[in-house]
Amino acid sequence: PKYIFEQKKEKRISFLDGLFSSEIAVPSFKEDNRGNRVKRFTNFQFGMSKIDSLEKEHRQFLLELISLSNSVGVTFTPNIRKDNTRITLKKSGNISYGYRIFLQTHFEKVAYFNKIFPLRYSSEKKFRFDKQLNEAIAYRKWKGTYWKHHIF
């Protein structure tokens, strides 16, 4: 809703937390598949499906979601991806496509997201998120590239 942009930061975070609790994908911390043996976060995305006739409105919603997220310090890439390979036929007869937007995967950005969003409606998702972040922290400590003051 448009009025959420006018709310205090804490309320905007609460609104986003509810949405992200159900729709955000937990990023994976794994070895880069480009052969350079560096570990990084991947697959950090927000996805929703909408019927094809509402594509314009859904894209506008995703752009507004990106803007609202930016207002609390969470950044997405500029890409909106329509997944043409995952088509769903709804009971109503409408065709539905998945749309995804991607969060930036720099370590500090993922850590900040985890810090401000408790994902209070999905404790299992929060557990998996914490596990991935702790793996990244251990890896960065091992590599000598972890400085807690850069995140928090």
Side-chain angles (χ1 to χ4, degrees):
K2 298 237 185 261
Y3 74 88
I4 199 71
F5 283 90
E6 300 163 6
Q7 301 299 313
K8 291 183 179 180
K9 183 177 181 179
E10 295 77 28
K11 288 193 179 196
R12 286 179 275 142
I13 288 172
S14 292
F15 174 82
L16 289 168
D17 184 62
L19 188 57
F20 291 154
S21 290
S22 63
E23 303 297 340
I24 202 78
V26 174
S28 300
F29 186 73
K30 61 184 184 178
E31 198 168 283
D32 194 331
N33 63 1
R34 293 177 276 194
N36 59 14
R37 303 195 48 87
V38 172
K39 287 188 166 189
R40 65 185 186 89
F41 284 107
T42 62
N43 303 321
F44 197 16
Q45 58 188 306
F46 174 89
M48 290 181 83
S49 294
K50 287 291 175 216
I51 60 173
D52 197 36
S53 62
L54 296 176
E55 179 174 5
K56 181 180 174 187
E57 292 85 353
H58 190 54
R59 285 182 178 274
Q60 183 59 40
F61 168 78
L62 293 173
L63 290 172
E64 289 173 4
L65 177 61
I66 290 169
S67 178
L68 184 62
S69 298
N70 284 340
S71 78
V72 298
V74 173
T75 53
F76 284 81
T77 68
N79 305 321
I80 297 177
R81 183 174 298 163
K82 179 179 180 179
D83 195 347
N84 291 318
T85 62
R86 299 178 86 187
I87 301 168
T88 305
L89 183 61
K90 300 289 187 181
K91 291 178 187 177
S92 64
N94 291 312
I95 295 174
S96 176
Y97 292 93
Y99 294 84
R100 295 181 286 162
I101 52 178
F102 303 88
L103 290 98
Q104 292 186 348
T105 57
H106 308 294
F107 173 80
E108 293 78 11
K109 305 259 184 190
V110 175
Y112 178 73
F113 180 97
N114 191 56
K115 177 184 172 190
I116 69 167
F117 295 118
L119 302 177
R120 71 177 65 94
Y121 300 110
S122 181
S123 57
E124 183 272 333
K125 189 176 282 191
K126 182 63 169 178
F127 174 79
R128 289 186 293 121
F129 204 117
D130 288 344
K131 183 178 177 195
Q132 293 297 308
L133 185 60
N134 288 333
E135 247 184 73
I137 290 170
Y139 175 77
R140 289 178 67 103
K141 284 181 178 178
W142 176 75
K143 296 280 285 179
T145 59
Y146 174 74
W147 297 280
K148 188 172 183 172
H149 69 276
H150 286 173
I151 305 167
F152 310 103

